């Protein structure tokens, strides 16, 4: 299921730029207050790999790659920001049983993601 035209981000780049500005503002503000910040890219159906969409409400996959590259650069620049990519462009290890639908985890999927997030949190003393 793809709910929107995947080219919306290319046709309205100002929306992406506004989003990036908001994220960068949040990263800088949390840094000023000594708060660690974790960004999570949640898993979605791996079948999106066979489409041009990153996900259900997706932008194009090529646009999503650019944003993830930008987020990785932010992660390198700001040591209190951590990016947890559980989607991996659809190459994740969340099974169909771990999904409630195309873009929501079931109890099993939420348990796996929560366990991984907990492991990350334990490394952030």
């Amino acid at each position: 299921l793809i709910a929107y035209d995947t080219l919306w981000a290319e046709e309205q780049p100002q929306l992406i730029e506004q989003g990036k500005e908001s994220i960068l503002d949040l990263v800088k503000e949390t840094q000023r207050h000594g708060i660690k910040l974790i960004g999570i890219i949640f898993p979605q159906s791996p079948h999106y790999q066979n489409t041009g969409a990153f996900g259900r409400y997706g932008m194009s996959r090529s646009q999503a790659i650019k944003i993830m590259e930008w987020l990785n650069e932010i992660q390198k620049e700001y040591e209190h920001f951590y990016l947890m990519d559980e989607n991996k462009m659809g190459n994740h290890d969340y099974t169909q049983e771990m999904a409630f639908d195309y873009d929501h985890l079931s109890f099993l999927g939420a348990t796996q993601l929560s366990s991984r997030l907990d492991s990350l949190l334990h490394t952030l003393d």
Side-chain angles (χ1 to χ4, degrees), residues 1 15 25 28 32 34 36 45 49 52 54 63 83 86 90 99 101:
L1 178 63
L15 295 177
D25 287 347
K28 289 177 180 179
R32 277 194 284 278
K36 293 182 176 123
S45 171
Q49 293 179 87
F54 177 67
Q63 185 71 32
L83 182 62
E86 289 296 293
D101 61 18

Side-chain angles (χ1 to χ4, degrees), residues 16-28:
I16 297 299
E17 291 308 312
Q18 289 169 352
K20 287 167 73 174
E21 281 180 36
S22 294
I23 290 171
L24 193 52
D25 287 347
L26 180 62
V27 168
K28 289 177 180 179

Side-chain angles (χ1 to χ4, degrees), residues 95-107:
T95 65
Q96 190 168 352
E97 292 76 30
M98 294 178 175
F100 177 75
D101 61 18
Y102 295 114
D103 61 344
H104 292 90
L105 294 172
S106 69
F107 177 79

Side-chain angles (χ1 to χ4, degrees), residues 60-74:
S60 66
R61 293 175 67 75
S62 59
Q63 185 71 32
I65 289 169
K66 291 176 190 175
I67 292 170
M68 285 185 274
E69 288 170 350
W70 177 80
L71 288 167
N72 279 312
E73 289 301 314
I74 296 300

